[in-house]
Amino acid sequence: MSPYDLQWLVKHTEPRAAQMVAQLKEQGIDHLELLALMGSIARHEFVEPAFSHLAYSATPLPIGRNQTISQPVTVARMTQWLLNYARRGRVLEVGTGSGYQTAILAHFFNKVHTIERQESLYQLSKDRLNRMNIKNVEFYFGDGQMGWPHKIDMDAVIITAMASKVPVVLTDCLKENGILIMPIDRPSSCIGCWQKKGQHWKCLGTTSANFVPLLEGKEYA
Ligand code: SAH
């Protein structure tokens, strides 16, 4: 049995994940493939070890470098929007963090491009997803507000840190009808899902949520 198979088994014998999925259903998440996936991913491997006993609880948790992994329902809502509205070609994620959202995206999209500004988180998440044998992700260490280092047209862009303004380079790389998911703190903290329609943006949904801020530049170690 390969290490990947063993990991699959460990994942599937995690009772706390089943409880988390039951809670997600109660909170209105109804995409069956997404629920099954979230029930099978070892979320405790993505948080700081001291908090692994809380990994399946309805709370954000530390992942190192003063950053947090979002609570399960927030990840689920953002992903469910993508699954309902986006073409499953290329997605750009800004804010790799622990790589948990990245791993979920990798399951559904052909290709995931993910950017992280903290060097150690970039390296940890890259190593973690490699160990999980997830192959369709390209990692980049940099400021996501500058976009992907070369021009690629995306079917979706998901930002997992709270923005105060919309980084134009991230909307420019979206294809027509592409989906943008972004937490924004004006007028109040919420996450929105928009579809690009020429020069206009059609709002497909919003939900309240808190996120760590989207910051400028990159940080070493
Ligand atoms: N999706 C992540 C959540 C990470 S929290 C997960 O599942 O764990 C937000 C992340 O965004 C942090 O790791 C933070 O360092 C990163 N971040 C903040 N501003 C950024 C920027 N301008 N470019 C890239 N990453 C950024």
Side-chain angles (χ1 to χ4, degrees):
M1 188 182 283
S2 76
Y4 183 58
D5 292 332
L6 183 60
Q7 187 167 317
W8 193 91
L9 275 180
V10 172
K11 285 175 193 169
H12 284 78
T13 50
E14 177 52 76
R16 295 172 300 171
Q19 277 171 21
M20 180 188 81
V21 167
Q23 225 173 15
L24 290 174
K25 281 186 192 158
E26 282 167 19
Q27 290 167 305
I29 305 302
D30 56 10
H31 194 288
L32 296 181
E33 212 184 333
L34 174 61
L35 288 167
L37 181 71
M38 288 184 71
S40 73
I41 291 187
R43 193 171 148 90
H44 57 271
E45 287 182 12
F46 290 82
V47 303
E48 284 201 326
F51 293 89
S52 66
H53 61 295
L54 293 173
Y56 299 85
S57 309
T59 176
L61 289 172
I63 55 171
R65 312 299 299 176
N66 283 329
Q67 303 303 316
T68 54
I69 184 172
S70 303
Q71 61 167 305
V73 72
T74 303
V75 175
R77 288 226 168 90
M78 295 197 292
T79 311
Q80 189 163 268
W81 274 328
L82 288 177
L83 298 178
N84 286 342
Y85 301 123
R87 263 196 76 241
R88 300 198 194 168
R90 277 178 201 275
V91 59
L92 172 64
E93 178 192 35
V94 173
T96 317
S98 68
Y100 180 70
Q101 174 81 68
T102 321
I104 293 177
L105 295 173
H107 181 85
F108 292 109
F109 281 80
N110 288 340
K111 185 87 186 184
V112 182
H113 299 259
T114 186
I115 308 178
E116 172 56 55
R117 66 178 290 282
Q118 291 263 7
E119 188 183 28
S120 55
L121 293 178
Y122 153 80
Q123 198 57 57
L124 279 172
S125 56
K126 190 173 173 179
D127 293 346
R128 186 176 282 133
L129 267 62
N130 272 339
R131 278 199 307 278
M132 294 179 161
N133 211 18
I134 295 173
K135 306 270 190 215
N136 57 334
V137 179
E138 276 195 44
F139 295 83
Y140 182 68
F141 167 48
D143 179 351
Q145 294 180 99
M146 315 288 281
W148 196 251
H150 52 268
K151 183 162 166 41
I152 304 180
D153 291 334
M154 302 288 174
D155 295 293
V157 171
I158 174 170
I159 305 177
T160 66
M162 184 67 81
S164 304
K165 55 185 189 324
V166 185
V168 173
V169 66
L170 297 180
T171 53
D172 278 356
C173 73
L174 264 179
K175 292 180 187 170
E176 180 67 6
N177 291 318
I179 298 296
L180 171 69
I181 303 218
M182 183 174 69
I184 190 138
D185 60 8
R186 291 179 197 175
S188 61
S189 299
C190 73
I191 317 171
C193 171
W194 293 271
Q195 185 168 38
K196 187 174 188 171
K197 294 274 179 198
Q199 297 299 308
H200 299 280
W201 294 90
K202 181 177 174 188
C203 183
L204 300 173
T206 58
T207 186
S208 64
N210 277 311
F211 275 84
V212 293
L214 189 68
L215 299 172
E216 291 194 1
K218 52 186 180 180
E219 263 182 55
Y220 291 89

